[in-house]
Amino acid sequence: MDKFVLFISELEDISEIIDGLKSHGIQFQVSQDVGEIEAILRKRKPSLIVLKDKLRKLKSEELLTKIITVDESCFFVVFSDQADVEQAKKFIDLGAWDFWIAPLHLEKILIIKNMRKNSTKISHQLLKSITMSMKSKREFQILMEVRRS
């Protein structure tokens, strides 16, 4: 699978991890333009799509629906500046694999980007790796609440 990650967010949202992405040979693109995003999805299949829950120019839910229409097998996570269980549940119900609290962590992207959308089991090792890289207990609690519902 291509080492390509599509970030649907502001460039500032990923500024802390750009050097790490480059050092791991991960190609990436940042966009908030619907036409450009659709063209990217048709031309190149990202190994991971990272979508911000609140965008300045777009409604994330509508964009997510369009993305799934273009590529129903896409693998994506949603991230937010705020810990909100209802928001997390909404995006998980729409098909997101996970819901992260900003700032983004390179470790999580490295772990998640190679997973397939149809993965239903989270191994103990993966869960441990993800929780070890989380910044706060609250993020872990939200993840567990969403997974239980």
Side-chain angles (χ1 to χ4, degrees):
M1 186 172 273
D2 197 6
K3 285 185 163 189
F4 175 66
V5 178
L6 174 59
F7 293 92
I8 302 173
S9 66
E10 299 284 336
L11 186 59
E12 306 87 67
D13 293 322
I14 68 161
S15 62
E16 293 180 23
I17 62 170
I18 289 175
D19 290 339
L21 291 168
K22 290 178 181 176
S23 71
H24 282 87
I26 298 170
Q27 297 175 4
F28 63 92
Q29 189 163 348
V30 181
S31 181
Q32 287 191 46
D33 179 84
V34 175
E36 182 179 38
I37 292 165
E38 289 175 345
I40 291 166
L41 292 173
R42 285 189 178 93
K43 180 180 174 186
R44 188 171 190 190
K45 185 177 177 106
S47 54
L48 176 64
I49 298 172
V50 182
L51 171 68
K52 186 159 188 179
D53 69 330
K54 293 180 182 157
L55 300 167
R56 291 182 193 165
K57 301 175 186 176
L58 306 168
K59 286 197 99 177
S60 297
E61 298 90 347
E62 291 173 12
L63 181 59
L64 187 53
T65 303
K66 282 188 178 199
I67 291 170
I68 293 170
T69 302
V70 173
D71 181 5
E72 64 183 31
S73 68
C74 65
F75 190 81
F76 61 94
V77 296
V78 176
F79 74 100
S80 177
D81 293 327
Q82 300 174 359
D84 182 339
V85 175
E86 290 304 314
Q87 185 81 335
K89 183 171 178 2
K90 176 175 69 175
F91 281 104
I92 297 292
D93 289 345
L94 285 171
W97 189 84
D98 207 350
F99 187 87
W100 296 340
I101 309 303
L104 294 174
H105 297 279
L106 180 63
E107 298 83 18
K108 287 198 259 187
I109 291 170
L110 295 174
I111 291 167
I112 303 299
K113 74 172 188 57
N114 290 322
M115 295 185 69
R116 293 196 170 114
K117 182 173 176 73
N118 294 331
S119 297
T120 55
K121 292 183 180 178
I122 301 175
S123 70
H124 179 68
Q125 181 75 21
L126 176 62
L127 186 57
K128 184 177 178 184
S129 297
I130 291 171
T131 57
M132 294 300 284
S133 68
M134 288 182 177
K135 188 171 182 176
S136 71
K137 282 184 177 181
R138 182 68 186 137
E139 186 174 18
F140 179 72
Q141 290 168 338
I142 287 172
L143 174 63
M144 291 298 100
E145 287 177 37
V146 169
R147 293 279 179 228
R148 281 192 293 262
S149 59

